[in-house]
Amino acid sequence: LGVREHLDIPKIHSLLHYVDSITWFGTTDNYNTEMMEHFHINFCKERWYASNHCNEMPQMISWLIRREKVKFLQYIDVLYLKSMS
C-alpha cells in the first residue's frame, strides 16, 4: 500500500530543530511585530489624541486628510525649489 511505518519525513523532522534554532538565533525578520506596533502608533494613537474622543472616526479621518495635504504641499515646494536651482 505504500504506507510509511515511520515518521521520518523532512518537514516533520525539521520541527525538532525549530526550538533550538529560535533559541540560538532568535526569530526571523518575518515574525517581527515591531513594524506593526509602530504603524499603530503613527496611524491610530496620534489621530485619537487629536480628536475630542466623541465620534472620533470622522475626526481621525479628516485629521489624516489634512496631514496628507500638508505633506504633499511640502513635497511640491521641495520639487519647485530644486527646479529653481
Side-chain angles (χ1 to χ4, degrees):
L1 294 173
V3 177
R4 292 181 183 255
E5 296 182 8
H6 58 79
L7 290 177
D8 195 17
I9 301 170
K11 282 186 178 180
I12 294 175
H13 176 77
S14 66
L15 288 174
L16 300 172
H17 302 287
Y18 285 167
V19 174
D20 291 332
S21 176
I22 292 171
T23 303
W24 293 336
F25 304 112
T27 60
T28 63
D29 291 335
N30 296 340
Y31 299 104
N32 188 347
T33 61
E34 184 177 335
M35 182 180 75
M36 296 314 286
E37 290 172 10
H38 191 68
F39 182 79
H40 174 73
I41 290 169
N42 286 344
F43 289 96
C44 293
K45 288 187 175 182
E46 290 178 5
R47 283 111 183 114
W48 169 256
Y49 293 129
S51 74
N52 65 1
H53 311 296
C54 295
N55 197 15
E56 66 278 349
M57 188 61 73
Q59 294 178 47
M60 293 169 69
I61 292 170
S62 65
W63 186 89
L64 178 61
I65 290 170
R66 284 192 304 268
R67 182 80 178 246
E68 287 177 342
K69 287 179 182 178
V70 168
K71 291 293 184 183
F72 180 73
L73 290 174
Q74 288 173 346
Y75 174 71
I76 295 298
D77 285 343
V78 168
L79 289 179
Y80 177 74
L81 291 174
K82 284 183 180 179
S83 69
M84 297 301 290
S85 59

